[in-house]
Amino acid sequence: MTAVAQSRQQRHGAAGLLVPLLVGGLVMVALGVYGRLHTPTGFAVGPAGFSGPLAMKSWLTTGAFVLAFVQIVSALSMWGKLGIRIPAGVHRWSGRLAFVLTIPVAFHCLYALGFQYDVPRVLIHSLLGCFFYGIFTAKMLALPRKGLPGWSLPVLGSLAFTALVGLWLTSSFWFFTTIGVSF
């Protein structure tokens, strides 16, 4: 393949990311706008089995946080970077479970609390929450696309991982170190 043809193919492949990134950006903005314009109710998901909503959110986010590390290890294995073979199903199911664990947390945050910006930690947390769901959307839309640059899925996955780690640090870690460990 000539250098010109290869350059054209790379540009075309990168253009395939445009729609997933635009839709992901719309998800980010929509969540932020809804969270800001929606009048918070102060209550949302019942914390079944937990002492309260903060404990529920902290433990579910911790579960997603742990599964995010499974995602990183299994992705590295799938890309041949570890020298061991972890079945691709481990990556898919740990990601699905991590995402499911975030849903009641996000619902409670958006519906009960809204997008807040008065405390720096909470502002960062709100921004990361919107970013996480936007980048997750972009990654899921990019997965079935053929011809994307080889770096696209690792970068999108790494951004989702980084956002989830930031969410855990600004929520669960804060809760466990400030309020204490409780169920």
Side-chain angles (χ1 to χ4, degrees), residues 111-153:
Y111 189 72
L113 306 173
F115 188 100
Q116 297 182 14
Y117 56 87
D118 50 343
V119 176
R121 175 189 65 81
V122 178
L123 170 62
I124 291 167
H125 183 76
S126 294
L127 290 169
L128 283 171
C130 294
F131 180 76
F132 171 76
Y133 280 99
I135 205 68
F136 179 83
T137 300
K139 183 182 178 216
M140 293 300 105
L141 291 175
L143 272 173
R145 291 182 173 259
K146 303 291 184 215
L148 293 180
W151 54 263
S152 57
L153 291 178

Side-chain angles (χ1 to χ4, degrees), residues 83-103:
I84 60 170
R85 180 100 173 115
I86 298 174
V90 171
H91 186 76
R92 284 191 293 272
W93 281 101
S94 62
R96 289 171 182 157
L97 185 55
F99 180 76
V100 166
L101 290 176
T102 68
I103 293 171

Side-chain angles (χ1 to χ4, degrees), residues 1-2 34 47 57 61 80 97 107 117 130 133 135 169-170 172:
M1 182 180 300
T2 68
Y34 173 80
K57 289 170 30 175
T61 303
L97 185 55
F107 179 75
Y117 56 87
C130 294
Y133 280 99
I135 205 68
L169 288 170
T170 57
S172 301

